[in-house]
Amino acid sequence: MDLIEVVRGERELFERAGHLFDVDELACASNTLFTWWTTQAPAQQNVKRHKRLRKMFRLSAMLDPSWAQRAHVMAEHGAEVRVTPDDLHETLLLGDRFVIMAGDLSHGERSYSVISAPEAVQGIHALYEAAWRTANPLEVHDASMVELRPLTPGILTALNDGLTDEAAARALGLSLRTYRRRVAELMAAMGATSRFQAGARARELGLV
């Protein structure tokens, strides 16, 4: 395999690089749970396959209850899970010799860059470790989200429907001040600088 090889789609990735996943340690950075076919297997199977499995999720992805539940199941079976508010480039670290970076879906099928150049692999490892150190362990993330998560669907729906703050607060049974504070917290969680952007990201993630 070349030092950097680009493949198209999960089928080609599996055919060309599936054997690379048989490593003791695997670390993953994901904006969603569904970028990597290897992580879609039952959580217990994934953890047993590797001596150490680390998953780092973008905070906005964890707003979806189904994604959060999946992350908890993985943690219950021994995976180390952390959550970061920062942007993530979806990346897999396969031991210390290979890295796979996911491309976008702008051409209809996701591309994947399979990297084995030692200098590039080392640099990507360093970036991942720096992000991992600053990310919150899952239990810390849960404590910070205990009040916001149940309100997230209602707030996102209100933003998507264009409700006034007053109307949205009444619908959710909140004071106007509390509603506005929760909106600000949700925007921060999604990395959005405006309510419009928060609504757009919510639609991209399938949250509304």
Side-chain angles (χ1 to χ4, degrees):
M1 180 170 288
D2 296 335
L3 294 182
I4 299 179
E5 182 171 348
V6 177
V7 299
R8 296 285 179 184
E10 294 183 357
R11 180 182 297 276
E12 186 177 353
L13 176 64
F14 176 77
E15 292 174 349
R16 301 291 297 277
H19 63 286
L20 300 180
F21 288 81
D22 293 325
V23 293
D24 288 340
E25 294 192 13
L26 185 146
C28 180
S30 296
N31 286 314
T32 78
L33 282 171
F34 307 110
T35 301
W36 308 102
W37 55 267
T38 185
T39 64
Q40 295 178 33
Q44 187 172 7
Q45 178 180 328
N46 272 322
V47 176
K48 284 184 176 180
R49 187 177 184 182
H50 311 286
K51 291 182 179 179
R52 187 186 189 194
L53 175 61
R54 289 187 289 169
K55 293 282 293 185
M56 182 162 52
F57 291 112
R58 173 81 184 273
L59 175 54
S60 57
M62 295 291 284
L63 295 174
D64 186 311
S66 64
W67 295 355
Q69 181 182 17
R70 169 76 175 185
H72 279 86
V73 171
M74 295 184 71
E76 289 168 4
H77 284 95
E80 301 171 46
V81 181
R82 294 194 178 189
V83 183
T84 177
D86 298 327
D87 287 332
L88 290 175
H89 190 104
E90 297 186 300
T91 306
L92 278 177
L93 282 62
L94 306 165
D96 58 3
R97 294 182 56 200
F98 298 97
V99 167
I100 301 177
M101 303 186 74
D104 61 29
L105 292 167
S106 59
H107 299 292
E109 189 171 33
R110 192 182 295 275
S111 63
Y112 298 90
S113 297
V114 183
I115 303 169
S116 57
E119 297 83 358
V121 170
Q122 184 179 8
I124 294 169
H125 267 269
L127 291 173
Y128 185 94
E129 295 299 340
W132 179 262
R133 286 193 296 271
T134 60
N136 285 323
L138 186 59
E139 60 272 17
V140 175
H141 163 75
D142 284 342
S144 68
M145 294 292 289
V146 66
E147 294 182 355
L148 179 60
R149 183 176 285 122
L151 295 171
T152 295
I155 293 174
L156 289 175
T157 298
L159 293 177
N160 192 54
D161 291 345
L163 297 183
T164 64
D165 286 359
E166 291 79 5
R170 286 196 301 271
L172 293 172
L174 302 173
S175 70
L176 181 60
R177 182 177 180 180
T178 298
Y179 173 76
R180 286 174 172 167
R181 184 172 73 252
R182 297 305 184 205
V183 169
E185 291 171 351
L186 184 58
M187 288 173 57
M190 302 187 76
T193 58
S194 69
R195 294 186 177 196
F196 176 82
Q197 187 180 31
R201 290 195 173 178
R203 289 189 292 274
E204 289 173 2
L205 292 167
L207 300 178
V208 293

